[in-house]
Amino acid sequence: MKNQRTNPPRQGAASTANELPPEIRPGQSLELLKELHILTRDGKLNQDSRRKLKQVYHLYQFIEKLLLELSEAGSAVGGLTLADHGAGKSYLGFILYDLFFKQRSTGHIYGIETRPELVEKSTALAKQLGFARMSFLNLTVAQSAQSGQLPERMDVVTALHACDTATDDAIAFGLQKRARFMVLVPCCQAEVARVLNQHKVLSLQRTPLSELWRHPLHTRELGSQITNVLRCLYLEACGYQVTVTELVGWEHSMKNELILARYTGQKKRSAAQRLRALLEEFGLKELLHTRFTHLPDNAAEAHLPMSDHAHGAGHVDKSAP
């Protein structure tokens, strides 16, 4: 035991330990992690960075499987395309590029972000690291759907903690771009809670279920739950197979719900019917023509003047695709 204490550690072992904390995936660029301030300049991880990296890595594992599946199927002519909405500092996009796209000669990642200073920093970092097939666009999610800077088709759409209705906009983007996969981690859903609040008095008179959102805290929590349920039904109605799971343990993040959607083309009529029924039950019918315009039996109605929506909300257009 005495000799073990006095013998100094091997130089190589000490150097490796300093350069590569055990949480870091093999092949990961340490320069990138330092530029993203996940690693300190001396290669250390603090607790906040460790938690953040754990979330991104866990999400990467899900997305990597989808990208490999698309690559093996050879379905992406000209290379895989991925749109990362609400990119922020683009932790996810950079790590995806570093661990997956960098080893391939084709494929492109598009980071969509509304804050111009973050877009500028990400653009500069991509250039510094030689990540040539990364583009960062100063657009809202809704604007990006109409932008000529993105391709007409998108293989994978991601939205990690895109706040409130930005997740709904990402879903609308994915539907328009005919995305093969969508990977969504919703955050801070408030729209449904606002609508529930607006009609609370009428709801209390109409149904005992309104006790579920009588108190403001319950309104917020129930609104968040209903929002994600409606999103899943919407995706199923539009031809996606949906899986809902946890991203990481609740001790790492309270915004922890992961929605994985795979396009199959099998549009579930029952999902559309249940979605409409829930909107009716919770007094949320006004969302039908703002959030769920791609429903197969809603396409014709979506173009009606707003004054006609109330009269047409229950009508099913048999001629709609």
Side-chain angles (χ1 to χ4, degrees):
M1 294 297 294
K2 183 176 181 181
N3 289 337
Q4 289 177 341
R5 290 194 193 99
T6 55
N7 288 342
R10 289 177 298 139
Q11 289 283 351
S15 175
T16 302
N18 287 334
E19 291 179 6
L20 192 65
E23 294 89 349
I24 306 301
R25 289 177 65 102
Q28 180 79 77
S29 165
L30 299 185
E31 180 187 359
L32 169 64
L33 296 183
K34 289 177 181 179
E35 291 294 338
L36 293 176
H37 303 292
I38 290 176
L39 283 180
T40 62
R41 286 299 168 190
D42 58 355
K44 303 294 184 182
L45 273 172
N46 61 37
Q47 190 59 37
D48 183 60
S49 295
R50 184 174 285 108
R51 182 168 53 250
K52 186 180 301 179
L53 190 63
K54 181 182 178 70
Q55 291 182 53
V56 175
Y57 272 168
H58 199 65
L59 189 56
Y60 172 81
Q61 290 176 335
F62 285 103
I63 298 172
E64 180 187 32
K65 293 176 183 177
L66 307 182
L67 294 172
L68 286 172
E69 180 181 327
L70 289 170
S71 296
E72 291 167 2
S75 57
V77 179
L80 297 170
T81 53
L82 183 146
D84 181 25
H85 288 293
K89 296 180 180 178
S90 294
Y91 294 108
L92 176 61
F94 276 115
I95 286 175
L96 277 167
Y97 194 98
D98 191 39
L99 293 178
F100 189 91
F101 284 78
K102 188 171 68 175
Q103 286 73 36
R104 291 159 173 81
S105 60
T106 60
H108 203 104
I109 292 179
Y110 298 86
I112 315 300
E113 173 56 46
T114 58
R115 289 165 287 184
E117 68 277 10
L118 295 184
V119 172
E120 291 173 7
K121 288 180 180 178
S122 294
T123 300
L125 180 56
K127 184 177 181 180
Q128 173 185 329
L129 296 171
F131 291 3
R133 289 172 283 115
M134 290 191 83
S135 300
F136 300 93
L137 307 177
N138 182 206
L139 299 168
T140 65
V141 182
Q143 289 169 341
S144 68
Q146 310 302 325
S147 173
Q149 300 177 77
L150 291 105
E152 292 184 4
R153 296 289 300 271
M154 196 65 63
D155 293 301
V156 181
V157 172
T158 65
L160 175 58
H161 294 162
C163 281
D164 198 12
T165 59
T167 298
D168 299 290
D169 291 337
I171 291 173
F173 174 94
L175 293 175
Q176 179 175 325
K177 296 293 186 180
R178 293 170 288 173
R180 298 292 301 278
F181 294 100
M182 297 192 217
V183 182
L184 311 167
V185 181
C187 182
C188 306
Q189 302 95 312
E191 184 179 45
V192 166
R194 287 193 294 269
V195 178
L196 289 174
N197 262 325
Q198 289 170 7
H199 306 301
K200 187 174 290 187
V201 174
L202 289 176
S203 297
L204 286 167
Q205 296 171 355
R206 184 176 59 86
T207 173
L209 280 177
S210 60
E211 291 297 334
L212 294 173
W213 67 94
R214 176 193 287 270
H215 301 287
L217 178 61
H218 294 161
T219 304
R220 185 184 68 193
E221 293 176 348
L222 182 67
S224 179
Q225 178 74 0
I226 292 173
T227 299
N228 286 340
V229 170
L230 292 173
R231 287 166 174 164
C232 292
L233 288 171
Y234 185 35
L235 287 164
E236 289 176 343
C238 292
Y240 286 81
Q241 178 187 358
V242 176
T243 302
V244 181
T245 186
E246 291 181 1
L247 175 59
V248 288
W250 292 103
E251 70 275 13
H252 295 285
S253 173
M254 293 302 293
K255 308 299 182 183
N256 199 38
E257 187 168 335
L258 173 61
I259 300 173
L260 297 168
R262 170 195 297 269
Y263 186 73
T264 64
Q266 298 176 355
K267 299 180 180 181
K268 292 186 178 180
R269 181 176 291 273
S270 61
Q273 292 170 340
R274 290 177 180 179
L275 189 156
R276 287 175 175 272
L278 284 176
L279 292 176
E280 176 75 30
E281 184 65 37
F282 288 97
L284 301 169
K285 287 192 296 182
E286 64 192 69
L287 298 180
L288 183 62
H289 302 290
T290 57
R291 292 295 162 204
F292 307 110
T293 56
H294 284 80
L295 283 178
D297 55 355
N298 193 35
E301 294 177 61
H303 300 290
L304 290 173
M306 287 302 294
S307 59
D308 293 337
H309 281 170
H311 301 292
H315 172 67
V316 177
D317 186 353
K318 299 297 185 182
S319 65

